[in-house]
Amino acid sequence: MLGAASIGQVFAQSDPLPSWNDGATKTSIAAFVARVTKDGGPDFVPPAERIAVFDNDGTLWCEQPIYFQLAFGLDSVKAMAATHPEWKQQQPFKAFLAGDKDALAAQGEKGLLTLVAAAHSGMTTDTFAASVADWLGRARHPRFHRPYNDLVYQPMVELLAYLRGNGFKTFIVSGGGVEFMRVWAEKAYGIPPEQMIGSSGVTQFKLGADGRPVLLKLPKVEFIDDGPGKPSGINRFIGRRPILAFGNSDGDHQMLQWTAAGSGARFLGIVHHTDAAREYAYDRQSRIGKLDKAWDEAMQRGWTVVDMAKDWKTVFAFERGGTGASQ
């Protein structure tokens, strides 16, 4: 295993994580990668078993003041509300149309998916993807006034590339909709669509008017990939227990526990939002990305907690003149 001095020398020569400040967190990442990739070492893990899973919202990109897919869904509902008077009496539409932010936030991921599923039911998957791309091209974040997909975390993009460069296979395991992520996340993170696990709605195969087959989106949620659903999703779609997992909230707690329960070397990481100046500061009391029970277990078990204000030199690529990930 490389010592701290050796790791520091490697970073000094060619730092694969330039947006991370030197310190215990950065060193722990490099030390873990060195342990599991050292051929013949006691903690060596064959490349096929180097599975790394990452939450998306709040872990790979910003999630405040509301989940970005929820912002997309709300814009879609707003555009269609006049043709759906029944929404005034149905949650989560009722909360949104009445401007009740607390009631809307209380709906959580299921409410998000209900909004998106209903607003886009009867639409083909190709049309849905086009609507996501169109929205990303014109919508702007209320604080940063940039396209939402510019708000990916540069340190995490570097970490994903660093892991892949060391033989890891990286996956997204998110409570957000998988079809929403697949439109933009490959370009942002370098993770292909088949390595994205997310919540999903029911689709139906049929022949279109021109005789060509299409998949229609139905107003029904099929799978919620959040909380205890994350280990189930990992088992269903990956079939291997990860050796590295990163999250930021209690919605990732079970994924972290599932990863930690495996044998051999393990890395459990939590992004703690502590930087109100460059991004946001929140944890136990937040309605979005609440970090409470997972934080307690991280402290108890010695998991790595990334202090955003302390550990990251740069939060977003555009801070240093980069173009971000806009479509």
Side-chain angles (χ1 to χ4, degrees):
M1 186 177 80
L2 290 175
S6 297
I7 292 169
Q9 291 170 1
V10 171
F11 277 152
Q13 294 169 4
S14 178
D15 190 349
L17 303 174
S19 295
W20 293 71
N21 285 315
D22 293 336
T25 299
K26 184 174 180 177
T27 298
S28 70
I29 293 170
F32 174 77
V33 171
R35 286 171 61 195
V36 299
T37 59
K38 183 175 177 55
D39 197 1
D43 295 313
F44 177 75
V45 177
E49 299 175 16
R50 293 177 202 164
I51 304 298
V53 294
F54 290 77
D55 168 56
N56 183 48
D57 296 313
T59 301
L60 297 181
W61 75 344
C62 182
E63 64 182 353
Q64 296 285 353
I66 61 173
Y67 296 118
F68 293 176
Q69 188 176 354
L70 180 55
F72 164 67
L74 295 181
D75 282 352
S76 300
V77 169
K78 189 183 301 181
M80 301 172 65
T83 60
H84 291 274
E86 72 278 9
W87 285 353
K88 292 182 180 180
Q89 303 302 322
Q90 298 175 359
Q91 293 290 19
F93 306 98
K94 180 179 178 180
F96 169 60
L97 296 174
D100 189 341
K101 295 181 180 179
D102 289 339
L104 185 61
Q107 301 292 318
E109 294 281 1
K110 186 174 182 179
L112 182 159
L113 291 169
T114 300
L115 281 167
V116 174
H120 299 91
S121 63
M123 182 182 292
T124 69
T125 52
D126 288 342
T127 302
F128 175 78
S131 72
V132 174
D134 175 70
W135 181 80
L136 288 171
R138 56 184 170 78
R140 295 295 181 268
H141 187 274
R143 173 180 171 184
F144 297 103
H145 308 293
R146 301 186 70 95
Y148 283 89
N149 52 332
D150 273 4
L151 300 178
V152 300
Y153 300 138
Q154 181 61 27
M156 299 303 283
V157 172
E158 294 169 1
L159 176 57
L160 289 167
Y162 175 51
L163 291 173
R164 289 192 293 268
N166 282 278
F168 282 77
K169 195 170 186 178
T170 54
F171 292 80
I172 292 176
V173 181
S174 172
V178 67
E179 291 177 16
F180 177 82
M181 293 187 295
R182 284 173 175 165
V183 175
W184 55 271
E186 182 172 20
K187 181 178 179 180
Y189 307 134
I191 298 176
E194 64 271 20
Q195 289 169 219
M196 297 179 196
I197 302 169
S199 300
S200 59
V202 175
T203 58
Q204 180 183 59
F205 175 89
K206 68 174 297 184
L207 296 178
D210 59 358
R212 298 183 64 182
V214 297
L215 284 176
L216 283 181
K217 295 178 67 64
L218 303 182
K220 183 178 180 180
V221 176
E222 178 186 37
F223 173 61
I224 302 292
D225 189 48
D226 196 40
K230 292 197 173 189
S232 295
I234 291 169
N235 181 66
R236 178 181 177 184
F237 296 106
I238 301 177
R240 293 184 188 272
R241 193 190 301 256
I243 65 169
L244 179 150
F246 244 104
N248 79 293
S249 74
D250 283 1
D252 307 311
H253 193 187
Q254 289 87 350
M255 178 175 75
L256 293 163
Q257 290 176 318
W258 173 249
T259 301
S263 60
R266 305 275 136 178
F267 187 97
L268 296 312
I270 292 178
V271 175
H272 187 194
H273 295 262
T274 58
D275 198 330
R278 294 186 298 174
E279 202 240 13
Y280 294 93
Y282 58 97
D283 42 56
R284 295 189 191 273
Q285 303 303 318
S286 179
R287 286 189 175 272
I288 302 293
K290 180 179 181 178
L291 176 61
D292 184 26
K293 294 179 180 179
W295 190 5
D296 288 341
E297 183 157 0
M299 295 297 99
Q300 177 185 354
R301 299 188 180 278
W303 296 349
T304 298
V305 177
V306 176
D307 184 322
M308 184 181 287
K310 177 183 176 182
D311 291 323
W312 288 358
K313 291 179 185 177
T314 301
V315 176
F316 304 116
F318 58 77
E319 291 178 20
R320 61 187 193 191
T323 57
S326 57
Q327 298 287 324

XYZ file of all heavy atoms in Angstrom, residues 87-165:
621
model
N -56.306 18.304 -12.216
C -55.095 18.419 -11.417
C -55.275 19.328 -10.206
O -54.534 19.206 -9.225
C -53.950 18.941 -12.293
C -53.402 17.910 -13.233
C -53.710 16.579 -13.279
C -52.434 18.122 -14.273
N -53.012 15.941 -14.279
C -52.219 16.860 -14.902
C -51.738 19.233 -14.734
C -51.333 16.711 -15.966
C -50.851 19.085 -15.787
C -50.656 17.835 -16.398
N -56.246 20.219 -10.241
C -56.453 21.139 -9.119
C -56.868 20.416 -7.848
O -56.788 20.967 -6.754
C -57.502 22.181 -9.495
C -57.049 23.146 -10.576
C -58.114 24.187 -10.865
C -57.658 25.158 -11.942
N -58.689 26.189 -12.245
N -57.322 19.161 -7.987
C -57.777 18.388 -6.826
C -56.897 17.168 -6.546
O -57.189 16.401 -5.633
C -59.232 17.935 -7.047
C -60.209 19.068 -7.306
C -60.231 20.091 -6.182
O -60.131 19.740 -5.000
N -60.351 21.369 -6.539
N -55.844 16.987 -7.318
C -54.998 15.807 -7.177
C -53.583 16.192 -6.754
O -53.000 17.125 -7.310
C -54.918 15.038 -8.510
C -56.254 14.498 -9.017
C -56.118 13.858 -10.385
O -55.047 13.825 -10.978
N -57.231 13.361 -10.910
N -53.060 15.486 -5.742
C -51.669 15.681 -5.361
C -50.774 14.809 -6.259
O -51.191 13.733 -6.670
C -51.448 15.285 -3.896
C -52.140 16.171 -2.900
C -51.530 17.567 -2.802
O -50.808 18.017 -3.699
N -51.847 18.259 -1.723
N -49.574 15.286 -6.583
C -48.924 16.503 -6.113
C -49.249 17.755 -6.940
O -48.722 18.827 -6.679
C -47.448 16.154 -6.232
C -47.402 15.254 -7.424
C -48.667 14.442 -7.381
N -50.135 17.607 -7.944
C -50.474 18.742 -8.816
C -51.141 19.865 -8.028
O -50.872 21.048 -8.252
C -51.402 18.271 -9.939
C -50.859 17.104 -10.710
C -51.282 15.809 -10.418
C -49.919 17.286 -11.696
C -50.782 14.730 -11.107
C -49.411 16.211 -12.396
C -49.848 14.925 -12.103
N -52.013 19.487 -7.091
C -52.733 20.476 -6.303
C -51.765 21.377 -5.542
O -51.920 22.610 -5.528
C -53.684 19.778 -5.331
C -54.490 20.721 -4.450
C -55.415 19.926 -3.528
C -56.197 20.868 -2.612
N -57.103 20.110 -1.705
N -50.752 20.778 -4.916
C -49.773 21.557 -4.159
C -49.016 22.508 -5.073
O -48.791 23.681 -4.733
C -48.802 20.614 -3.449
N -48.637 22.022 -6.231
C -47.892 22.871 -7.154
C -48.731 24.022 -7.670
O -48.307 25.183 -7.636
C -47.381 22.033 -8.325
C -46.834 22.865 -9.454
C -45.766 23.710 -9.257
C -47.408 22.808 -10.713
C -45.265 24.487 -10.297
C -46.920 23.572 -11.750
C -45.850 24.416 -11.546
N -49.920 23.733 -8.134
C -50.777 24.769 -8.714
C -51.204 25.790 -7.673
O -51.465 26.949 -7.993
C -51.993 24.135 -9.385
C -51.663 23.229 -10.584
C -52.921 22.529 -11.084
C -51.026 24.042 -11.708
N -51.253 25.368 -6.384
C -51.623 26.285 -5.300
C -50.413 27.024 -4.745
O -50.550 27.887 -3.875
C -52.319 25.508 -4.186
N -49.222 26.666 -5.211
C -48.015 27.321 -4.718
C -47.617 26.889 -3.326
O -46.914 27.603 -2.622
N -48.059 25.689 -2.892
C -47.755 25.176 -1.557
C -46.434 24.407 -1.603
O -46.401 23.199 -1.833
C -48.897 24.270 -1.086
C -48.763 23.863 0.379
O -47.652 23.968 0.923
O -49.783 23.457 0.960
N -45.334 25.109 -1.362
C -44.010 24.520 -1.494
C -43.752 23.431 -0.458
O -43.099 22.426 -0.744
C -42.932 25.610 -1.398
C -42.970 26.610 -2.540
C -41.862 27.641 -2.403
C -41.911 28.647 -3.552
N -40.842 29.674 -3.413
N -44.262 23.623 0.769
C -44.046 22.611 1.809
C -44.756 21.310 1.453
O -44.193 20.220 1.592
C -44.543 23.126 3.163
C -43.652 24.218 3.734
O -42.480 24.313 3.316
O -44.124 24.981 4.596
N -45.994 21.418 1.018
C -46.746 20.214 0.640
C -46.103 19.529 -0.560
O -46.062 18.302 -0.642
C -48.201 20.580 0.333
N -45.565 20.314 -1.466
C -44.918 19.751 -2.645
C -43.643 19.022 -2.260
O -43.380 17.904 -2.712
C -44.613 20.859 -3.651
C -44.048 20.424 -4.998
C -45.032 19.526 -5.723
C -43.723 21.643 -5.854
N -42.847 19.648 -1.384
C -41.602 19.025 -0.945
C -41.877 17.726 -0.198
O -41.100 16.764 -0.285
C -40.816 19.981 -0.055
N -43.003 17.681 0.523
C -43.359 16.492 1.297
C -43.669 15.288 0.403
O -43.650 14.149 0.860
C -44.544 16.785 2.202
N -43.924 15.532 -0.871
C -44.232 14.437 -1.797
C -42.992 13.620 -2.156
O -43.103 12.473 -2.578
C -44.867 14.993 -3.084
C -46.146 15.777 -2.872
C -47.298 14.909 -2.416
O -47.484 13.807 -2.924
N -48.072 15.398 -1.473
N -41.798 14.214 -1.977
C -40.551 13.494 -2.203
C -40.366 13.004 -3.634
O -40.952 13.525 -4.583
N -39.510 11.968 -3.778
C -39.191 11.425 -5.099
C -40.431 10.863 -5.797
O -40.582 10.990 -7.013
C -38.137 10.318 -4.978
C -36.767 10.790 -4.507
C -35.978 11.437 -5.625
O -36.496 11.539 -6.751
O -34.830 11.842 -5.359
N -41.333 10.241 -5.019
C -42.531 9.672 -5.632
C -43.382 10.770 -6.252
O -43.934 10.607 -7.343
C -43.347 8.896 -4.602
C -44.530 8.166 -5.222
C -45.240 7.285 -4.208
C -46.394 6.526 -4.863
N -47.097 5.640 -3.905
N -43.485 11.908 -5.563
C -44.238 13.025 -6.119
C -43.612 13.550 -7.383
O -44.301 13.882 -8.357
N -42.269 13.615 -7.384
C -41.544 14.057 -8.572
C -41.893 13.172 -9.760
O -42.239 13.655 -10.842
C -40.043 13.998 -8.278
C -39.031 14.446 -9.333
C -37.707 14.775 -8.655
C -38.796 13.373 -10.385
N -41.793 11.874 -9.542
C -42.039 10.947 -10.642
C -43.494 10.951 -11.086
O -43.793 10.779 -12.260
C -41.611 9.541 -10.232
C -40.099 9.365 -10.085
C -39.777 8.048 -9.422
C -39.410 9.460 -11.434
N -44.406 11.169 -10.133
C -45.822 11.262 -10.485
C -46.072 12.451 -11.390
O -46.801 12.356 -12.389
C -46.688 11.373 -9.217
O -46.490 10.214 -8.408
C -48.165 11.497 -9.568
N -45.453 13.583 -11.065
C -45.594 14.780 -11.893
C -45.065 14.533 -13.301
O -45.740 14.814 -14.294
C -44.837 15.948 -11.269
C -45.496 16.681 -10.107
C -44.479 17.573 -9.414
C -46.688 17.496 -10.577
N -43.855 13.997 -13.370
C -43.226 13.784 -14.667
C -43.990 12.747 -15.477
O -44.233 12.917 -16.677
C -41.757 13.375 -14.500
C -41.143 13.000 -15.833
C -40.961 14.512 -13.866
N -44.393 11.647 -14.811
C -45.097 10.579 -15.516
C -46.418 11.081 -16.092
O -46.758 10.808 -17.250
C -45.339 9.400 -14.574
N -47.170 11.849 -15.285
C -48.460 12.340 -15.750
C -48.304 13.390 -16.841
O -49.040 13.397 -17.834
C -49.245 12.914 -14.582
N -47.337 14.278 -16.656
C -47.149 15.357 -17.628
C -46.671 14.835 -18.973
O -46.863 15.501 -19.992
C -46.160 16.388 -17.087
N -46.055 13.652 -18.974
C -45.494 13.135 -20.221
C -46.111 11.812 -20.654
O -45.602 11.147 -21.548
C -43.973 12.984 -20.080
C -43.281 14.275 -19.808
N -43.032 14.734 -18.527
C -42.834 15.252 -20.628
C -42.444 15.908 -18.581
N -42.302 16.247 -19.836
N -47.222 11.427 -20.039
C -47.882 10.189 -20.436
C -48.425 10.324 -21.857
O -48.831 11.406 -22.289
C -49.021 9.856 -19.478
O -50.020 10.854 -19.510
N -48.392 9.214 -22.576
C -48.841 9.239 -23.965
C -47.773 9.719 -24.920
O -47.960 9.705 -26.140
N -46.633 10.111 -24.381
C -45.509 10.596 -25.178
C -44.545 9.439 -25.415
O -44.365 8.589 -24.554
C -44.819 11.722 -24.399
C -43.652 12.392 -25.082
S -42.902 13.666 -23.997
C -44.187 14.908 -23.937
N -43.923 9.386 -26.569
C -42.937 8.333 -26.796
C -41.655 8.658 -26.038
O -41.395 9.810 -25.673
C -42.599 8.182 -28.288
O -41.875 9.337 -28.732
C -43.864 7.998 -29.128
N -40.861 7.633 -25.795
C -39.601 7.847 -25.092
C -38.683 8.772 -25.880
O -37.940 9.567 -25.295
C -38.906 6.502 -24.830
O -38.818 5.761 -26.054
C -39.678 5.681 -23.808
N -38.734 8.704 -27.202
C -37.903 9.595 -28.014
C -38.362 11.045 -27.884
O -37.541 11.964 -27.799
C -37.946 9.176 -29.488
C -37.176 7.891 -29.756
O -36.350 7.510 -28.903
O -37.412 7.265 -30.807
N -39.672 11.245 -27.861
C -40.205 12.598 -27.706
C -39.873 13.149 -26.324
O -39.557 14.332 -26.168
C -41.727 12.619 -27.931
O -42.002 12.114 -29.248
C -42.291 14.022 -27.816
N -39.946 12.280 -25.317
C -39.588 12.702 -23.960
C -38.132 13.151 -23.906
O -37.806 14.194 -23.338
C -39.820 11.564 -22.971
C -39.365 11.873 -21.573
C -40.122 12.678 -20.742
C -38.164 11.362 -21.090
C -39.702 12.969 -19.448
C -37.729 11.650 -19.802
C -38.506 12.453 -18.980
N -37.234 12.368 -24.487
C -35.816 12.735 -24.491
C -35.602 14.076 -25.175
O -34.805 14.907 -24.712
C -34.993 11.645 -25.186
N -36.320 14.311 -26.251
C -36.203 15.593 -26.954
C -36.703 16.737 -26.081
O -36.133 17.835 -26.098
C -36.986 15.541 -28.264
N -37.759 16.483 -25.281
C -38.293 17.541 -24.420
C -37.324 17.866 -23.285
O -37.199 19.026 -22.887
C -39.659 17.128 -23.850
O -39.541 16.112 -22.875
N -36.604 16.858 -22.789
C -35.588 17.100 -21.762
C -34.452 17.941 -22.341
O -34.007 18.921 -21.730
C -35.037 15.774 -21.205
C -33.873 16.040 -20.248
C -36.128 14.994 -20.485
N -33.979 17.579 -23.521
C -32.895 18.327 -24.157
C -33.314 19.763 -24.437
O -32.521 20.703 -24.242
C -32.475 17.628 -25.450
N -34.553 19.951 -24.881
C -35.051 21.305 -25.144
C -35.085 22.124 -23.863
O -34.669 23.287 -23.847
C -36.446 21.223 -25.767
C -37.069 22.599 -25.954
O -36.591 23.356 -26.823
O -38.027 22.935 -25.211
N -35.574 21.511 -22.778
C -35.653 22.211 -21.488
C -34.268 22.596 -20.980
O -34.052 23.720 -20.529
C -36.362 21.319 -20.475
C -36.525 21.939 -19.121
C -37.470 22.853 -18.732
C -35.718 21.689 -17.967
N -37.298 23.179 -17.405
C -36.232 22.480 -16.913
C -34.620 20.862 -17.715
C -35.685 22.472 -15.628
C -34.067 20.864 -16.438
C -34.587 21.650 -15.416
N -33.316 21.684 -21.075
C -31.958 21.979 -20.630
C -31.347 23.118 -21.447
O -30.523 23.880 -20.946
C -31.081 20.733 -20.748
C -31.356 19.624 -19.728
C -30.578 18.368 -20.095
C -30.989 20.070 -18.321
N -31.769 23.230 -22.697
C -31.234 24.287 -23.542
C -31.757 25.663 -23.214
O -31.097 26.672 -23.513
N -32.934 25.739 -22.585
C -33.523 27.063 -22.325
C -33.734 27.395 -20.847
O -33.757 28.577 -20.477
C -34.858 27.191 -23.048
C -35.873 26.120 -22.720
C -37.154 26.246 -23.537
N -38.019 25.089 -23.383
C -38.790 24.863 -22.331
N -38.818 25.758 -21.335
N -39.544 23.783 -22.251
N -33.867 26.390 -19.984
C -34.111 26.645 -18.565
C -32.826 27.109 -17.881
O -31.721 26.713 -18.259
C -34.644 25.385 -17.886
N -32.987 27.953 -16.859
C -31.841 28.459 -16.107
C -32.087 28.310 -14.609
O -33.201 28.491 -14.126
C -31.579 29.941 -16.449
C -31.160 30.179 -17.899
C -29.825 29.537 -18.204
N -29.364 29.754 -19.571
C -29.606 28.927 -20.582
N -30.334 27.826 -20.389
N -29.130 29.181 -21.784
N -31.020 27.985 -13.898
C -31.099 27.839 -12.446
C -31.411 29.192 -11.815
O -30.835 30.212 -12.219
C -29.770 27.296 -11.912
C -29.800 26.946 -10.463
N -29.563 27.869 -9.472
C -30.054 25.767 -9.837
C -29.655 27.269 -8.288
N -29.953 25.995 -8.484
N -32.300 29.255 -10.818
C -32.715 30.550 -10.258
C -31.618 31.324 -9.541
O -31.686 32.558 -9.454
C -33.848 30.161 -9.292
C -33.607 28.722 -8.968
C -33.039 28.130 -10.220
N -30.611 30.650 -9.038
C -29.518 31.358 -8.361
C -28.329 31.605 -9.284
O -27.808 32.726 -9.349
C -29.044 30.568 -7.138
C -27.799 31.173 -6.488
C -27.327 30.394 -5.285
N -26.031 30.861 -4.823
C -25.333 30.315 -3.822
N -25.839 29.257 -3.178
N -24.156 30.787 -3.465
N -27.902 30.577 -9.998
C -26.680 30.683 -10.795
C -26.926 31.185 -12.211
O -25.976 31.552 -12.901
C -25.969 29.324 -10.827
C -25.506 28.857 -9.480
C -26.198 27.873 -8.791
C -24.392 29.424 -8.883
C -25.780 27.445 -7.542
C -23.959 29.001 -7.630
C -24.659 28.019 -6.952
N -28.179 31.179 -12.636
C -28.558 31.686 -13.967
C -27.774 31.010 -15.085
O -27.348 31.641 -16.048
C -28.371 33.217 -14.022
C -29.047 33.934 -12.891
N -30.419 33.979 -12.742
C -28.530 34.607 -11.818
C -30.728 34.654 -11.651
N -29.601 35.036 -11.070
N -27.594 29.723 -14.920
C -26.905 28.918 -15.914
C -27.749 27.684 -16.226
O -28.621 27.301 -15.420
C -25.521 28.480 -15.396
C -24.597 29.634 -15.037
C -23.219 29.105 -14.687
N -22.536 28.585 -15.875
C -21.693 29.292 -16.610
N -21.433 30.551 -16.319
N -21.105 28.743 -17.655
N -27.512 27.019 -17.360
C -28.217 25.760 -17.625
C -28.005 24.789 -16.463
O -26.918 24.717 -15.890
C -27.552 25.250 -18.905
C -27.028 26.476 -19.575
C -26.589 27.388 -18.458
N -29.022 24.027 -16.142
C -28.939 23.120 -14.999
C -27.796 22.123 -15.137
O -27.155 21.763 -14.136
C -30.269 22.382 -14.822
C -31.340 23.234 -14.184
C -32.186 24.031 -14.972
C -31.514 23.266 -12.807
C -33.175 24.822 -14.390
C -32.500 24.051 -12.212
C -33.329 24.825 -13.016
O -34.300 25.608 -12.430
N -27.521 21.675 -16.346
C -26.454 20.697 -16.501
C -25.065 21.326 -16.537
O -24.070 20.634 -16.764
C -26.685 19.796 -17.718
C -26.955 20.557 -18.990
O -27.468 21.670 -18.964
N -26.645 19.956 -20.118
N -24.973 22.635 -16.286
C -23.684 23.249 -15.971
C -23.322 23.042 -14.506
O -22.171 23.259 -14.110
C -23.715 24.752 -16.251
C -23.360 25.097 -17.682
O -23.162 24.174 -18.499
O -23.294 26.304 -18.003
N -24.303 22.655 -13.696
C -24.108 22.607 -12.250
C -23.685 21.223 -11.764
O -24.128 20.737 -10.722
C -25.377 23.071 -11.542
C -25.794 24.510 -11.910
C -27.079 24.899 -11.209
C -24.694 25.505 -11.573
N -22.813 20.587 -12.535
C -22.209 19.324 -12.105
C -20.958 19.665 -11.302
O -20.299 20.687 -11.534
C -21.869 18.417 -13.307
C -23.131 18.081 -14.086
C -20.840 19.061 -14.226
N -20.625 18.813 -10.348
C -19.494 19.078 -9.461
C -18.191 18.635 -10.129
O -17.978 17.441 -10.359
C -19.677 18.346 -8.133
C -20.920 18.741 -7.373
C -21.701 17.783 -6.746
C -21.306 20.081 -7.273
C -22.845 18.142 -6.038
C -22.446 20.448 -6.573
C -23.212 19.477 -5.955
O -24.343 19.827 -5.259
N -17.333 19.592 -10.404
C -16.078 19.290 -11.070
C -15.217 18.295 -10.293
O -14.629 17.383 -10.907
C -15.296 20.582 -11.325
C -13.979 20.401 -12.045
C -14.128 19.804 -13.433
O -15.161 19.952 -14.069
N -13.089 19.142 -13.913
N -15.123 18.376 -8.963
C -14.325 17.373 -8.246
C -14.845 15.952 -8.432
O -14.049 15.000 -8.505
C -14.447 17.814 -6.780
C -14.732 19.283 -6.852
C -15.615 19.440 -8.051
N -16.153 15.791 -8.537
C -16.708 14.454 -8.701
C -16.519 13.940 -10.126
O -16.330 12.735 -10.344
C -18.179 14.442 -8.313
C -18.433 14.839 -6.860
S -17.544 13.794 -5.670
C -18.572 12.322 -5.677
N -16.551 14.838 -11.105
C -16.249 14.454 -12.481
C -14.814 13.917 -12.549
O -14.534 12.894 -13.194
C -16.432 15.648 -13.441
C -15.922 15.313 -14.838
C -17.899 16.054 -13.503
N -13.907 14.598 -11.859
C -12.511 14.142 -11.814
C -12.391 12.798 -11.110
O -11.623 11.922 -11.543
C -11.658 15.186 -11.102
C -11.538 16.503 -11.855
C -10.911 17.613 -11.037
O -10.547 17.376 -9.862
O -10.790 18.744 -11.561
N -13.144 12.623 -10.031
C -13.088 11.363 -9.294
C -13.587 10.205 -10.158
O -12.978 9.126 -10.174
C -13.923 11.468 -8.020
C -14.040 10.191 -7.184
C -12.669 9.661 -6.783
C -14.906 10.445 -5.946
N -14.661 10.416 -10.884
C -15.175 9.371 -11.769
C -14.120 8.966 -12.804
O -13.898 7.777 -13.054
C -16.437 9.862 -12.476
C -17.699 10.009 -11.616
C -18.764 10.799 -12.370
C -18.239 8.649 -11.212
N -13.483 9.957 -13.412
C -12.453 9.669 -14.416
C -11.244 8.974 -13.792
O -10.658 8.057 -14.392
C -12.023 10.972 -15.098
N -10.878 9.392 -12.599
C -9.754 8.790 -11.875
C -10.026 7.310 -11.589
O -9.154 6.448 -11.807
C -9.540 9.570 -10.574
C -8.496 9.016 -9.637
C -7.207 8.710 -10.072
C -8.804 8.831 -8.287
C -6.244 8.232 -9.184
C -7.843 8.353 -7.389
C -6.574 8.050 -7.846
O -5.627 7.579 -6.973
N -11.231 7.006 -11.156
C -11.582 5.619 -10.872
C -11.565 4.775 -12.152
O -11.018 3.673 -12.170
C -12.963 5.555 -10.210
C -13.054 6.122 -8.795
C -14.501 6.160 -8.322
C -12.197 5.327 -7.814
N -12.160 5.303 -13.210
C -12.170 4.550 -14.475
C -10.758 4.320 -14.990
O -10.450 3.275 -15.568
C -13.028 5.273 -15.518
C -14.521 5.211 -15.207
C -15.342 5.674 -16.387
N -15.167 7.084 -16.688
C -15.936 8.065 -16.207
N -16.940 7.790 -15.382
N -15.716 9.313 -16.553
N -9.890 5.315 -14.773
C -8.497 5.161 -15.183
C -7.763 4.096 -14.395
O -6.676 3.657 -14.789
